[in-house]
Every structure is written in structure tokens, then in C-alpha cells.
Amino acid sequence: MPALALGGVVMHAEGLPATLQVTNLAAAAVGMGLVALAAVALFPAHGARRGPPLREPASGSPRRGGWRVLMGLILLAVPLTAPGIEGVHRWLPLGPVHLHAGALVLPPLLVALYRAPWIPAVATAVATLGMLALQPDAAQAGAFCGAWVAMALIRRQGRAGGVVVLCLLLALAAILRADPLAPVPHVEGIVGLATRQSALLGALALPSLAAIPLALAWFLTRPVGVLLALHGTGALLAAWAGHHPVPFLGYGVAPILGYYAAVALSLREDGVRPAQEAARPPGSPRA
């Protein structure tokens, strides 16, 4: 919410249409609705919470959550079949609305992959990075690769060298592809707009953005929350290093919906962090 509010202030000061700010806020309202539905399922009417969250991925049936993974792959593939802009295919065409496919799909896909069986998870990650290289989407490829590599090392206790190398190469292929599109000031350049308007707004922009991965890591169950935080950090670093969308602070519905969907799915799959764990400093021993 701090980043959304600050972005709205900056866009209003620039004289941009109010519909941009309203659209971002509407996306946040939809996302919070998804989280509320997940919370209703998590906390039944009698007030009891589900048991402690699982710490290791389940190895059950390959069909467990498979429809979520399949839907994610389809949504990532659709932009490749749609008309692009100067050879770039990153958006889901939904009538007058075009949603950034990677920003929408990848956060919840990461949650689903943590619970998916290993072989399908690897195949999905490779296919995802391949499609991101074709779009191309350097920011999302780098962010997804960082989170996926961490996930692979966690799940295989460090024994995932071949998978890690392959994914790094695919992400590098996406990063090295030329991007002909010029940045949009209120999307990729929103931090610069804030700084130009006021030193205070520029200074507030950074902590408002840092709050996003910190909240994911702190409040969601681990390691899923940490993996989502890595993805968020990667997207922010990409925006700092090049002309890439700034989530929440800049205009863009897809990143907002994507992260809220990931939070809702994480609650649905893992519950919430126990209060005593949330209060314990990171790295401290369990009681």
C-alpha cells in the first residue's frame, strides 16, 4: 500500500489521467479480495487454524496442483501467438486491456512449483524460461531464475547443478536479447519522476518498494515467502539496472494481481506463519 499510494501521488502530480491510479487501486482491491477468500478458507467459522505448515514440498500425485501449473504455462504462451510490438510479445490481450504475462503468472507459478513433483517442476521451469527468452522479458526471466534456482537448491539439498546451469543459460539468453521498446515514464521511470518532483518523494520511493519483498519474506510461510521475496527483489533490481517496469509504484495491473494471487495461493497451500515463529528473529533456534 505505501508504494501504491506514493505512485498515485507522483502520477497525479505529473498530470496523468486519474484512470491510471484508479486502475492500480482496483487491481489491489481485487487482489485483497483473493487473499480474503483464502483467509476465509484458512480460518473456518469456529476460529480454528489449520495445523502447522509443511516445511518440505509434498511428493504426492503429479496431479496435485497440476492445473495451476498448466494454466500458468498457457498464459505465458498466449503472448507468443498474439501480435507483438516491434517483435516483443509480453502481453495477454484481453480486449482493450493488455496484461504483462510474466508479472501476472510467475509469482503464483513459483508457489505452485514448490509443491509440484520434481520432474514436472523442472520441465515447467525450463519451459517458462524458454518462453521468457522468446518474448523476450529480461526482467522476469532474471527474477524467476533467481527464485527458481534457490528453490531447486532447497528441494535437492544443493544437488541440482545441471538444472541450475541450464536455467541460468536460458535466463541469460533472455537478458542478452535486445529490447527495442522505449521506457514509459510512469511505468519504468516512476522513481525518476518521483525524484524530479521532490527529493522527499524520491527518498520515500525506495523504502516503499523494499517493503514488498520484506513483507513477503516475513509474513508468509518459509521457504515459499523467501522465494517470492527473491522474485520481487529480482524484479526491483531489474528496474534499477535497466528500463523495466517498477511493480506497485508504477502503473501496471499485472504485478499487483500477480503478487496478491501468490499470497492467496500461499495461504491456501501453507497456512500462515505461527505467531511465535513470526516474532522470532531470523536465524534464531526453534523452541
Side-chain angles (χ1 to χ4, degrees), residues 69-83 89-93 100-102 105-106 109 127-132 134-135:
V69 173
L70 179 60
M71 182 60 66
L73 289 176
I74 292 173
L75 290 176
L76 284 174
V78 167
L80 297 174
T81 66
H89 304 265
R90 294 182 194 141
W91 297 275
L92 287 165
H100 190 288
V105 170
L106 295 184
L109 182 61
T128 296
L129 287 167
M131 285 187 283
L132 292 174
L134 291 174
Q135 288 182 1

Side-chain angles (χ1 to χ4, degrees), residues 32-211:
M32 286 187 279
L34 293 175
V35 174
L37 289 175
V40 168
L42 180 64
F43 295 94
H46 62 273
R49 186 175 67 80
R50 288 194 325 198
L54 296 172
R55 294 303 176 198
E56 298 297 333
S59 59
S61 166
R63 290 189 291 271
R64 176 183 171 86
W67 68 270
R68 299 187 185 105
V69 173
L70 179 60
M71 182 60 66
L73 289 176
I74 292 173
L75 290 176
L76 284 174
V78 167
L80 297 174
T81 66
I85 302 174
E86 298 186 37
V88 177
H89 304 265
R90 294 182 194 141
W91 297 275
L92 287 165
L94 301 176
V97 179
H98 289 72
L99 296 179
H100 190 288
L104 175 68
V105 170
L106 295 184
L109 182 61
L110 281 167
V111 179
L113 287 181
Y114 185 70
R115 293 297 176 193
W118 175 245
I119 298 301
V122 171
T124 300
V126 170
T128 296
L129 287 167
M131 285 187 283
L132 292 174
L134 291 174
Q135 288 182 1
D137 194 333
Q140 290 299 323
F144 178 82
C145 183
W148 162 253
V149 166
M151 184 192 303
L153 294 176
I154 291 171
R155 290 191 58 174
R156 307 302 287 182
Q157 289 81 47
R159 300 188 301 273
V163 171
V164 168
V165 170
L166 176 58
C167 290
L168 288 173
L169 290 175
L170 288 170
L172 186 63
I175 292 170
L176 293 180
R177 282 198 62 182
D179 187 343
L181 300 182
V184 178
H186 58 276
V187 178
E188 292 89 354
I190 191 71
V191 175
L193 289 181
T195 304
R196 189 181 69 188
Q197 291 174 12
S198 152
L200 177 60
L201 288 178
L204 290 175
L206 299 182
S208 75
L209 291 171

Side-chain angles (χ1 to χ4, degrees), residues 156-284:
R156 307 302 287 182
Q157 289 81 47
R159 300 188 301 273
V163 171
V164 168
V165 170
L166 176 58
C167 290
L168 288 173
L169 290 175
L170 288 170
L172 186 63
I175 292 170
L176 293 180
R177 282 198 62 182
D179 187 343
L181 300 182
V184 178
H186 58 276
V187 178
E188 292 89 354
I190 191 71
V191 175
L193 289 181
T195 304
R196 189 181 69 188
Q197 291 174 12
S198 152
L200 177 60
L201 288 178
L204 290 175
L206 299 182
S208 75
L209 291 171
I212 299 169
L214 287 175
L216 293 169
W218 186 256
F219 291 108
L220 297 181
T221 54
R222 292 175 179 168
V224 172
V226 175
L227 296 173
L228 287 173
L230 286 174
H231 179 272
T233 301
L236 292 174
L237 289 175
W240 172 75
H243 298 307
H244 301 290
V246 181
F248 286 82
L249 187 67
Y251 171 71
V253 169
I256 300 170
L257 292 177
Y259 281 121
Y260 273 116
V263 171
L265 184 57
S266 176
L267 289 176
R268 185 76 177 161
E269 293 286 334
D270 297 327
V272 296
R273 289 186 67 191
Q276 63 271 26
E277 180 184 337
R280 185 183 300 120
S284 62

